[in-house]
């Protein structure tokens, strides 16, 4: 697994082309050197391609269709998104699961379309407040993961998973680093046990009220491969601050030391 921490912005139903350009100018001027992307509304993908192409910042979409083509008015396919040079697509965000009734089955189909188109799907999972209070978190997360794991088998390592407790999204109160460690550990174990992937093969992000003031504490946890950022990804200074924390928390390149016939990574 790469030791570089990943920062993904989710603009939701916000932003405009001028803001895409403002981010590009900022990224070109002052880039902290982490891996980062902004998932913008579909209508801004062309502007993102034009503006971010010459910067280290990548771009992605917030959803793709479960279909590839045909009579599906209003849908946008993964292949169409890929045509704009996008690298990522969010799939199964809780706002889509709740407001639009997206099911685990539809989410799996979207993930498969994304992978076939050459996009990296970022699959969002997480429990609601009442599920947490009813001690159902493990059951909910397992249910959200199992169909995916069964459908993808060997393709699992090409997916990024984002754990976003629904109660933390937009609340200003992120889960504590201890809770994040615990839950990301559970997700990694579930993927390893049911999907046969080795520990660390799938990047697992945390999302939900990540801001410049808590990003360092969250990103410094070994279990956290990166963060998914909503509100704070709309403000260039805030997003860059989070990227700086990610760059600080990314492990330095592993050096291979060969001593007396033994090889050790440090
Ligand atoms: P937030 O949103 O950072 O504003 O809490 C995160 C998300 O919904 O992806």
């Amino acid at each position: 697994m790469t030791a570089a921490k990943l920062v993904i912005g989710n603009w939701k139903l916000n932003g405009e082309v001028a803001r895409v350009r403002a981010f590009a100018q900022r990224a070109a001027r002052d880039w902290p050197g982490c891996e980062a992307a902004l998932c913008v509304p579909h209508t801004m993908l062309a502007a993102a391609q034009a503006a971010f192409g010459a910067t280290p910042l990548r771009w992605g979409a917030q959803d793709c269709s479960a279909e590839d083509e045909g009579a599906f008015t209003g849908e946008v396919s993964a292949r169409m998104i890929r045509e704009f040079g996008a690298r990522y697509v969010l799939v199964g965000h809780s706002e889509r699961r709740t407001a639009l009734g997206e099911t685990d089955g539809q989410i799996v189909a979207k993930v498969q379309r994304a992978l076939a188109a050459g996009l990296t799907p970022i699959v969002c999972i997480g429990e609601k407040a009442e599920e947490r209070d009813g001690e159902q978190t493990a059951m909910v997360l397992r249910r959200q993961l199992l169909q995916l794991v069964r459908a993808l088998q060997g393709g699992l390592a090409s997916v990024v998973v984002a754990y976003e407790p629904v109660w933390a999204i937009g609340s200003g109160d992120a889960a504590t680093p201890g809770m994040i460690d615990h839950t990301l550990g559970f997700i990694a174990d579930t993927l390893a046990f049911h999907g046969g992937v080795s520990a660390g093969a799938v990047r697992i992000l945390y999302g939900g009220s990540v801001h410049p003031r808590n990003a360092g504490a969250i990103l410094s946890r070994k279990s956290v491969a990166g963060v998914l950022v909503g509100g704070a990804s709309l403000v260039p200074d805030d997003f860059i601050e989070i990227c700086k924390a990610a760059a600080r928390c990314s492990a330095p390149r592993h050096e291979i030391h060969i001593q007396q016939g033994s090889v050790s990574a440090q």
Side-chain angles (χ1 to χ4, degrees), residues 20 23 27 39 42 50 61 68 98-100 102 107 111 121 131 143 157 169 210 230 232 235 244 247 252 259 263:
V20 171
F23 266 83
C39 291
H42 289 143
D68 189 42
T98 306
L100 301 167
E102 274 191 14
I107 289 162
V111 167
E131 292 166 338
R143 191 195 65 223
I169 294 175
V210 175
V235 182
K244 281 184 187 162
Q259 279 180 338
V263 179

Side-chain angles (χ1 to χ4, degrees), residues 38-42 45 59-64 81 86-91 119:
L38 289 172
C39 291
V40 298
H42 289 143
L45 284 171
W59 57 98
Q62 300 167 20
D63 177 49
C64 67
I81 293 165
R87 181 171 296 178
Y88 300 99
V89 61
L90 302 179
V91 180
L119 294 168

